[in-house]
């Protein structure tokens, strides 16, 4: 037969991977190097050339979209149905196995699968049965704990918690949840994987059946596998010569949700006869973008190593914009997008990528001001997020204690020891007396015979808290009020202690709400006698009422870097590339987490096809206060030859690799001072910039620098050069 058409469109490395002899194979596939093409053609090659039965093919990936794309492309090449092959996600394949062998897996034939919301509801039922306050111990936190144990292959009987009181409670709930699921004949998503592993491990005949059936096992995005996924894949591959895995250690960015980059290295140890083929030719990005990505990622240790390249030209340099502040950053980005659209390009080909969801607010605001359609991809708009709505509800109650919707939302958020019976009693009394919930609470607090001692105290404490807000925030600025309420309400502590994966984002969003208040322009003459707080709350409501663009409308895409993986855009803006923001502050002191942040930067850079802009701000509001962040170490790792400084940072900068500050003002030979002779408010005369006033000072000795306001703007200068 003529096999040329199968491999004609492949490059040399792709062809080598597709036609390699059947043995353990690791295809190290760089971003944009055609990994799906290789997987698809490998499967077709096995069927057409080696006459492997389609029934012997198992192909596993992580999303239904990827699985459907793979199946469709295989069918196009085969010109036949791929229905006999097992192509699907890990959870989809596991579900299929359990349906076929429900009895052996100790499940009813018609067992049901719980989605995330259903799982939370079942956990809440367990909490109710155990008389545990759901506000004190949130169901989502228990859900995170249970799923983490299952992903590690641990049943409740296998978990060791020692004498930690909280861990003991978590384990008790896990045990009761397991029993309830068994009685109800239901399984959650994590259970699908664990139950299949146990089924194959404990039933030798069944395991042998599937080991014989699946002579060719293909795995996509292998770097994203967790412990239990790796465990049941290796159960199915005892001969150690039929596993064909595709992955990229440089794109492993999901460690926070259980993915183990170590699985790639483990595969190499456990399959010693494996072959490695590297896909390094990139079909997505320009040369400049790829060279920047290569330069970044080489700073990580222990990589398997590859260098992306392209036959395309270097294209435009990467634009690096040093914004004055976050507003200037957003204006720059939106201005560049408008120029792009005016040149005849589509908005949908543009992505704004950020490390934290909280960063979206400034860009949303600027896009709305310029009437530019946009969508927050895979997430909610800033003012629609639950933690923001909770904080605003406290502020609404401060502005108007009769706001029932606000009262109802946060009377027991975070938990104060009031159960549903107390809330129901409040609502009943409010209806009977035709008064607000606040007034009903005051009445009930004065007559606590209808409440338990605990509930009565909790209600009184809540009322006192809100009343103290008014007295203790008098005279504070709007930002200080918002900060005070977020802290004193307990919201910040509540989300800081939350152990679910999104908790960091929620904390950052609350901090950004303070920034929004600090940036709010209050115009008393235009606000119809509204107080500044009431005006800000009205602004927030109006912002949240602005609808996002329709799903199919030509609109700009906003998303986190994690969400962007697997996507590509002709024009990309990588924003907020500053120390403490990207890399995230909590990652800078941990070598492993810092390397994952660098991989995330690599992923962000390689999303860009034609043009990449990277931005950072010299000044940024953080929690309602000015901060002056250094540009990210990742910027210092980029080769200067491929960068275009759109507007260089103020005259002083600190390259990550440099020991001394780079100064472009004077060439004096300074004497190092041990004690500062400068202070805020002091006027100075500079030989280049003229007269100025010192706004801020930081650092000491030879590293002391001052923010000085001159006629033509603000500049950070080393004081040893003044």
């Amino acid at each position: 037969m003529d096999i040329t058409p199968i491999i004609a469109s492949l490059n040399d490395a792709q062809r080598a991977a597709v036609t390699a002899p059947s043995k353990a194979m690791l295809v190290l596939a760089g971003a944009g190097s055609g990994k799906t093409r290789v997987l698809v053609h490998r499967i077709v090659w096995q069927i057409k050339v080696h006459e492997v039965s389609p029934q012997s093919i198992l192909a596993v990936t992580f999303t239904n979209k990827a699985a459907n794309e793979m199946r469709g492309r295989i069918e196009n090449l085969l010109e036949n149905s791929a229905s006999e092959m097992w192509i699907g996600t890990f959870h989809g394949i596991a579900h299929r196995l359990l349906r076929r062998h429900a009895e052996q897996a100790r499940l009813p034939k018609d067992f049901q699968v719980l989605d995330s919301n259903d799982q939370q509801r079942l956990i809440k039922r367990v909490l109710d049965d155990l008389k545990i306050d759901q506000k004190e111990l949130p169901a989502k936190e228990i859900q995170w704990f249970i799923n983490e144990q299952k992903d590690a292959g641990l049943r409740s009987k296998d978990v060791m918690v020692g004498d930690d009181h909280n861990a003991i409670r978590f384990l008790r709930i896990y045990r009761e949840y397991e029993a309830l699921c068994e009685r109800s004949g239901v399984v959650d998503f994590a259970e699908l994987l664990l139950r299949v592993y146990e089924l194959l491990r404990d039933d030798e005949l069944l395991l042998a059946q599937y080991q014989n059936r699946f002579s060719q096992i293909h795995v996509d995005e292998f770097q994203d596998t967790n412990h239990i996924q790796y465990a049941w894949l290796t159960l199915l591959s005892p001969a150690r010569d039929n596993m064909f895995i595709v992955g990229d250690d440089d794109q492993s960015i999901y460690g926070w949700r259980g993915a183990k980059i170590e699985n790639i290295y483990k595969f190499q140890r456990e399959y010693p006869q494996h072959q490695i083929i590297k896909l390094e030719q990139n079909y997505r990005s320009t040369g400049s973008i790829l060279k920047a990505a290569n330069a970044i990622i080489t700073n990580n240790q222990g990589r398997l190593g590859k260098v992306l390249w392209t036959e395309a030209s270097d294209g435009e340099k990467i634009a690096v914009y040093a914004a004055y502040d976050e507003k200037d950053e957003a204006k720059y980005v939106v201005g560049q997008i408008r120029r792009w659209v005016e040149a005849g390009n589509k908005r949908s080909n543009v992505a704004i990528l950020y490390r934290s969801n909280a960063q979206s607010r400034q860009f949303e605001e600027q896009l709305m001001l310029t009437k530019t359609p946009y969508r927050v991809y895979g997430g909610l708009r800033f003012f629609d997020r639950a933690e923001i709505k909770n904080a605003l509800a406290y502020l609404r109650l401060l502005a108007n204690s009769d706001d029932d919707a606000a009262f109802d939302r946060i009377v027991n958020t975070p938990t104060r020891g009031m159960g549903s019976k107390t809330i129901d009693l409040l609502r009943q009394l409010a209806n009977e007396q035709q008064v607000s919930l606040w007034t009903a609470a005051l009445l009930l607090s004065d007559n606590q015979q209808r409440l338990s001692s605990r509930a009565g105290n909790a209600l009184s404490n809540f009322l006192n808290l809100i009343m103290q807000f008014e007295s203790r925030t008098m005279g504070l600025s709007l930002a200080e009020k918002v900060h005070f309420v977020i802290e004193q309400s307990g919201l910040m502590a509540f989300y800081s202690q939350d152990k679910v994966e999104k908790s960091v984002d929620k904390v950052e969003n609350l901090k950004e709400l303070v920034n929004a208040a600090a940036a709010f322009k209050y115009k008393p003459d235009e606000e119809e006698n509204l107080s500044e707080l009431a005006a800000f709350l009205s602004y927030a409501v109006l912002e949240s009422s602005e609808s996002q663009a329709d799903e199919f409308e030509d609109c700009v895409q906003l998303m986190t870097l994690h969400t962007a993986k697997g996507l590509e855009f002709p024009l990309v803006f990588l924003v907020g590339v500053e120390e403490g923001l990207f890399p995230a502050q909590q990652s800078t002191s941990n070598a492993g987490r810092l390397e994952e942040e660098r991989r995330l930067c690599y992923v962000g850079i390689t999303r860009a096809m034609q043009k990449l802009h990277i931005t950072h701000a010299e000044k940024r509001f953080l929690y309602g206060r000015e901060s002056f962040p250094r540009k990210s170490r990742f910027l210092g790792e980029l080769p200067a030859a491929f960068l275009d400084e759109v507007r260089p940072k103020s005259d002083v900068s600190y390259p990550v690799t440099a020991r001394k500050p780079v100064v472009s003002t004077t060439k004096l030979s300074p004497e190092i001072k041990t004690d500062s002779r400068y202070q805020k408010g002091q006027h100075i005369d500079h030989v280049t910039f003229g007269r100025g006033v010192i706004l801020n000072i930081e650092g000491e000795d030879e590293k002391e620098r001052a923010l000085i306001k001159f006629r033509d703007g603000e500049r950070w200068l080393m004081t040893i050069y003044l």
Side-chain angles (χ1 to χ4, degrees):
M1 66 176 294
D2 183 10
I3 60 175
T4 304
I6 303 175
I7 57 175
S9 63
L10 306 178
N11 64 37
D12 290 344
Q14 292 171 339
R15 192 175 295 117
V18 167
T19 61
S22 181
K23 62 184 299 184
M25 174 81 67
L26 167 56
V27 178
L28 200 61
S33 62
K35 67 179 179 61
T36 305
R37 173 184 289 265
V38 165
L39 276 167
V40 165
H41 282 74
R42 171 74 175 187
I43 291 170
V44 173
W45 180 269
Q46 292 292 327
I47 293 171
K48 284 198 168 185
V49 177
H50 294 289
E51 299 182 344
V52 171
S53 167
Q55 293 183 349
S56 299
I57 301 291
L58 173 65
V60 192
T61 187
F62 275 84
T63 67
N64 288 317
K65 179 182 176 182
N68 290 334
E69 180 185 354
M70 189 184 300
R71 184 181 295 107
R73 289 167 70 169
I74 290 171
E75 289 178 340
N76 285 337
L77 285 172
L78 287 176
E79 297 181 339
N80 204 350
S81 170
S83 60
E84 291 181 289
M85 304 177 206
W86 282 40
I87 303 172
T89 64
F90 278 95
H91 291 96
I93 298 293
H95 180 254
R96 188 172 178 179
L97 279 166
L98 291 179
R99 286 292 177 200
R100 287 190 164 206
H101 307 285
E103 185 176 350
Q104 293 104 308
R106 306 182 316 281
L107 288 170
K109 186 177 181 180
D110 58 349
F111 73 87
Q112 297 300 307
V113 181
L114 302 173
D115 64 17
S116 182
N117 290 333
D118 289 336
Q119 185 186 20
Q120 276 196 37
R121 277 192 284 272
L122 209 60
I123 291 170
K124 288 176 182 177
R125 179 176 162 188
V126 172
L127 292 172
D128 285 341
D129 291 345
L130 295 176
K131 295 184 169 33
I132 296 174
D133 194 323
Q134 294 175 24
K135 295 292 184 179
E136 181 184 346
L137 206 55
K140 61 183 178 180
E141 194 170 331
I142 302 299
Q143 181 182 33
W144 176 86
F145 173 81
I146 290 172
N147 291 343
E148 185 184 42
Q149 306 313 310
K150 290 188 177 184
D151 285 347
L154 300 175
R155 292 288 179 196
S156 61
K157 63 182 177 57
D158 304 316
V159 179
M160 307 297 292
V161 296
D163 31 351
D164 181 271
H165 173 67
N166 235 16
I168 291 171
R169 286 206 301 172
F170 276 47
L171 184 54
R172 182 188 177 197
I173 296 165
Y174 182 16
R175 190 178 298 118
E176 293 298 322
Y177 171 78
E178 273 185 322
L180 179 56
C181 287
E182 288 290 335
R183 293 197 303 271
S184 306
V186 297
V187 296
D188 55 50
F189 271 35
E191 180 71 19
L192 286 171
L193 301 179
L194 178 56
R195 188 72 66 119
V196 162
Y197 170 72
E198 292 172 337
L199 173 65
L200 295 174
R201 180 197 64 193
D202 299 338
D203 192 324
E204 292 183 6
L205 289 177
L206 189 67
L207 176 60
Q209 174 187 331
Y210 282 101
Q211 287 173 340
N212 292 330
R213 171 170 184 159
F214 295 130
S215 63
Q216 301 296 323
I217 299 174
H218 307 76
V219 189
D220 192 13
E221 303 284 10
F222 192 78
Q223 76 281 350
D224 293 335
T225 54
N226 63 22
H227 172 85
I228 200 69
Q229 289 162 343
Y230 182 89
W232 67 260
L233 279 172
T234 52
L235 270 179
L236 287 171
S237 180
R240 305 193 182 282
D241 64 356
N242 64 336
M243 186 92 81
F244 185 93
I245 70 173
V246 180
D248 183 2
D249 56 334
D250 290 334
Q251 294 190 75
S252 178
I253 59 173
Y254 298 118
W256 47 274
R257 72 180 189 196
K260 295 195 174 297
I261 189 174
E262 297 86 358
N263 284 348
I264 284 185
Y265 313 134
K266 192 174 181 181
F267 173 86
Q268 291 181 284
R269 291 194 305 271
E270 295 185 356
Y271 292 71
Q273 303 304 314
H274 74 279
Q275 179 182 353
I276 293 183
I277 292 179
K278 298 179 182 180
L279 304 184
E280 298 174 297
Q281 184 175 358
N282 177 281
Y283 293 92
R284 175 189 299 159
S285 307
T286 65
S288 293
I289 291 168
L290 295 180
K291 287 167 185 173
N294 289 331
I296 284 279
I297 204 63
T298 53
N299 289 279
N300 274 1
Q301 303 298 312
R303 299 172 56 239
L304 295 177
K306 64 184 177 309
V307 178
L308 296 180
W309 61 276
T310 179
E311 290 182 343
S313 67
D314 280 348
E316 293 187 59
K317 291 184 177 183
I318 296 169
V320 178
Y321 183 72
Y324 293 119
D325 56 22
E326 63 270 25
K327 283 187 176 294
D328 182 39
E329 179 183 46
K331 286 179 181 177
Y332 168 77
V333 169
V334 175
Q336 293 296 318
I337 292 172
R338 293 189 71 182
R339 291 187 184 91
W340 166 268
V341 174
E342 287 167 0
N345 298 298
K346 289 186 176 182
R347 299 184 193 90
S348 55
N349 286 336
V350 182
I352 303 174
L353 310 182
Y354 36 77
R355 177 64 181 84
S356 165
N357 264 312
Q359 293 171 256
S360 76
R361 186 187 67 83
Q362 288 288 347
F363 298 98
E364 290 185 56
E365 188 175 274
Q366 193 60 222
L367 288 163
M368 283 188 286
L369 278 173
T370 57
K371 295 182 170 53
T372 305
Y374 74 93
R375 283 188 64 80
V376 179
Y377 189 97
L380 294 171
R381 299 170 73 249
F382 181 77
F383 285 106
D384 291 334
R385 295 164 191 164
E387 61 276 14
I388 298 300
K389 286 182 173 290
N390 287 339
L392 290 173
Y394 275 102
L395 293 165
R396 284 164 51 191
L397 212 55
L398 172 59
N400 173 20
S401 60
D402 290 328
D403 186 333
D404 274 5
F407 185 101
D408 204 29
R409 185 179 185 96
I410 47 84
V411 63
N412 208 25
T413 304
T415 180
R416 307 178 203 288
M418 280 181 276
S420 56
K421 289 183 180 179
T422 304
I423 308 302
D424 290 343
L425 190 57
L426 270 176
R427 291 174 182 147
Q428 180 185 339
L429 183 58
N431 288 333
E432 290 173 356
Q433 300 292 326
Q434 291 294 291
V435 294
S436 67
L437 288 172
W438 175 265
T439 303
L442 290 173
L443 293 172
L444 201 57
S445 181
D446 289 339
N447 180 19
Q448 291 193 7
Q449 288 88 345
R450 300 173 69 179
L451 296 174
S452 68
S453 175
R454 183 186 180 194
N457 289 335
L459 183 59
S460 295
N461 290 339
F462 173 71
L463 295 172
N464 290 333
L465 175 70
I466 302 302
M467 287 186 283
Q468 285 176 15
F469 281 170
E470 184 172 1
S471 61
R472 296 182 65 185
T473 59
M474 287 181 65
L476 297 182
S477 69
L478 178 62
E480 289 170 335
K481 277 184 182 178
V482 175
H483 181 183
F484 181 88
V485 168
I486 288 173
E487 288 285 357
Q488 296 302 313
S489 65
L491 284 176
M492 184 60 76
F494 174 67
Y495 289 116
S496 296
Q497 295 165 8
D498 196 346
K499 293 181 180 178
V500 296
E501 61 193 38
K502 299 287 186 181
S503 60
V504 174
D505 274 352
K506 293 178 186 296
V507 169
E508 293 301 319
N509 286 336
L510 289 176
K511 292 178 181 179
E512 183 58 25
L513 184 62
V514 179
N515 295 343
F520 178 66
K521 304 298 184 190
Y522 178 55
K523 300 174 182 176
D525 54 329
E526 298 179 11
E527 300 292 354
E528 300 179 353
N529 298 319
L530 291 177
S531 68
E532 186 179 24
L533 175 58
F536 175 69
L537 291 170
S538 296
Y539 154 78
V541 170
L542 292 172
E543 289 283 292
S544 64
S545 67
E546 289 284 339
S547 60
Q548 294 192 61
D550 181 78
E551 181 180 357
F552 301 105
E553 187 177 348
D554 181 28
C555 58
V556 177
Q557 309 293 312
L558 278 70
M559 66 191 76
T560 65
L561 284 154
H562 283 101
T563 304
K565 186 171 179 293
L567 303 176
E568 58 185 37
F569 302 90
L571 176 60
V572 168
F573 295 88
L574 184 52
V575 301
V577 185
E578 301 150 20
E579 286 295 303
L581 196 54
F582 189 35
Q585 185 63 47
Q586 62 270 24
S587 300
T588 54
S589 59
N590 181 294
R593 292 175 69 173
L594 181 59
E595 292 209 341
E596 184 159 317
E597 292 280 309
R598 188 175 282 109
R599 292 194 291 270
L600 191 57
C601 187
Y602 172 84
V603 166
I605 291 172
T606 54
R607 297 313 93 196
M609 300 168 70
Q610 299 171 16
K611 180 66 177 179
L612 172 63
H613 293 254
I614 300 178
T615 67
H616 61 101
E618 296 176 339
K619 180 175 70 173
R620 191 177 291 276
F621 269 93
L622 184 63
Y623 217 167
R625 298 186 179 90
E626 282 185 342
S627 65
F628 301 92
R630 293 186 178 189
K631 65 182 181 182
S632 171
R633 69 192 71 193
F634 300 151
L635 271 170
E637 295 168 359
L638 293 173
F642 299 102
L643 303 183
D644 176 19
E645 297 279 351
V646 177
R647 193 200 76 205
K649 193 175 180 219
S650 297
D651 297 85
V652 179
S653 62
Y654 284 88
V656 171
T657 55
R659 292 268 178 198
K660 297 180 180 180
V662 177
V663 183
S664 61
T665 54
T666 66
K667 295 184 179 180
L668 301 176
S669 298
E671 293 181 2
I672 305 302
K673 303 186 298 295
T674 55
D675 296 310
S676 178
R677 52 194 174 90
Y678 298 98
Q679 58 187 359
K680 291 181 184 179
Q682 181 177 342
H683 288 270
I684 62 106
D685 289 302
H686 194 274
V687 292
T688 303
F689 304 112
R691 190 154 179 81
V693 62
I694 296 177
L695 302 180
N696 196 15
I697 297 176
E698 65 176 31
E700 57 185 15
D701 298 327
E702 74 273 18
K703 293 184 179 180
E704 185 186 74
R705 65 176 188 161
L707 178 65
I708 306 172
K709 183 175 180 61
F710 297 102
R711 280 187 179 181
D712 62 343
E714 298 172 7
R715 286 180 169 81
W716 279 103
L717 299 177
M718 304 301 296
T719 58
I720 57 176
Y721 291 91
L722 296 180

